[in-house]
Amino acid sequence: MKKYFPKGVINMVFGMPSLACFRSIEENLAFANQLGLDFVELNMNLPFCTVQALQKENLPSLCQKYGVTLTLHADENLFFCDFNPLIAGAHLQTMLDTIVLCQESGIPLINFHMSEGVHFSLPDRKLYLFEEYESIYQERLLAFREACHQTAGNSVRLCIENTGLRMPFIFRAIDLLLQSPAFALTWDTGHDHSAGGTDAPFLLARKDRLIHMHLHDALGKKNHLALGTGEIDLRAVLNAASPQRVVIEVKVPDELTASVSYLKSHLL
């Protein structure tokens, strides 16, 4: 199956997210093969993509069968900086188990979200507990960073995805994690667009760590639109970021198929 690359960017490969309409890893891999894509980003919130479920699969064999590789999107409920050490410890262990799974299965990348944590609604503002107790928050971050660094080594990269969170304590937290080479960055184009473009300057100032992209179109606050149906200058963001790996994060089969066609005809 022929793979497709942007002109002049020989190391860029394209994949798809796991689709909600499919009920197995194999269905996703088969569809990625049909579209000529390089990989599937499995979302670990799906019941067949938890660490325990994936450990029961022969992932290298499935990938070889369809000529498609895998990356992982970590469970979005991970809350590894919780002030309760039992909760934080369970979530940290989940990430460490995920890293080991990746090493055993030849999966090079885990994408994950930063949580803004719990906030208290005051009469005049939201009080974010991670910001109010930032020294404790950063202690938790350091423990998370060092454990992941020791486990991942050079074999797995943990990519922090921008989610439109504009709180300064989140940006400081990301920089703290990036002090370890195990961590890198994901640029989600729709999240940045919906946040008014506030993520892009932060990401581009750290372009040497920007290796991954979630590419989708957007209209105002509406995200995950098919490529070419929104307001984003997709060629400009691809050229600006030059990521190594791009997930076409469109989540309906027909729209994903149209997006791959648009990619080949307008962006390559």
Side-chain angles (χ1 to χ4, degrees):
M1 179 68 66
K2 183 180 178 182
K3 307 298 183 182
Y4 301 96
F5 303 91
K7 295 173 182 176
V9 189
I10 60 172
N11 291 323
M12 193 180 294
V13 294
F14 291 91
M16 57 172 265
S18 42
L19 302 184
C21 62
F22 296 148
R23 292 294 186 268
S24 70
I25 297 167
E26 190 157 6
E27 285 180 276
N28 282 283
L29 292 173
F31 193 61
N33 174 277
Q34 178 184 324
L35 295 178
L37 295 172
D38 296 278
F39 68 97
V40 175
E41 181 182 81
L42 295 179
N43 190 306
M44 300 184 77
N45 287 93
L46 292 165
F48 57 87
C49 294
T50 64
V51 174
Q52 294 77 12
L54 293 176
Q55 287 170 339
K56 297 176 183 178
E57 297 280 355
N58 188 336
L59 297 177
S61 178
L62 278 174
C63 290
Q64 184 176 19
K65 178 179 179 180
Y66 292 99
V68 175
T69 61
L70 294 173
T71 62
L72 297 180
H73 190 306
D75 191 312
E76 294 183 24
N77 295 313
L78 287 182
F79 205 48
F80 44 80
C81 289
D82 194 270
F83 295 146
N84 183 326
L86 294 178
I87 294 173
H91 290 227
L92 169 59
Q93 190 60 54
T94 298
M95 180 61 89
L96 298 181
D97 290 347
T98 302
I99 295 170
V100 171
L101 169 71
C102 288
Q103 292 168 329
E104 293 174 347
S105 303
I107 297 172
L109 186 149
I110 302 167
N111 183 80
F112 74 100
H113 292 179
M114 296 291 289
S115 171
E116 64 187 33
V118 174
H119 70 266
F120 287 179
S121 295
L122 303 183
D124 59 338
R125 64 190 174 99
K126 291 181 179 179
L127 187 150
Y128 290 93
L129 297 188
F130 283 165
E131 183 173 35
E132 188 72 8
Y133 297 92
E134 191 166 1
S135 62
I136 301 174
Y137 172 54
Q138 292 198 352
E139 287 176 10
R140 293 284 192 271
L141 277 172
L142 285 170
F144 173 75
R145 186 189 75 189
E146 293 311 303
C148 290
H149 176 87
Q150 292 299 321
T151 305
N154 296 319
S155 60
V156 180
R157 302 294 292 278
L158 286 77
C159 288
I160 309 161
E161 178 184 347
N162 65 297
T163 54
L165 298 176
R166 286 169 278 182
M167 290 77 81
F169 74 89
I170 293 288
F171 291 138
R172 291 192 291 269
I174 293 171
D175 276 334
L176 193 65
L177 293 178
L178 289 176
Q179 291 175 18
S180 163
F183 290 85
L185 293 170
T186 297
W187 183 349
D188 186 294
T189 58
H191 293 164
D192 178 50
H193 182 81
S194 295
T198 55
D199 293 333
F202 179 86
L203 294 166
L204 290 174
R206 295 152 182 81
K207 187 175 176 180
D208 61 321
R209 310 299 292 278
L210 181 55
I211 66 171
H212 189 228
M213 177 173 278
H214 282 181
L215 185 69
H216 48 108
D217 224 325
L219 280 169
K221 301 292 184 182
K222 191 174 182 181
N223 272 283
H224 301 289
L225 302 182
L227 302 188
T229 65
E231 303 169 324
I232 298 177
D233 187 337
L234 300 170
R235 183 184 296 277
V237 296
L238 277 173
N239 289 341
S242 299
Q244 299 168 13
R245 193 177 293 270
V246 180
V247 179
I248 305 171
E249 203 183 17
V250 176
K251 301 183 178 182
V252 179
D254 289 348
E255 293 183 4
L256 181 57
T257 301
S259 294
V260 172
S261 296
Y262 183 88
L263 178 77
K264 291 190 288 184
S265 60
H266 291 83
L267 300 177
L268 304 188

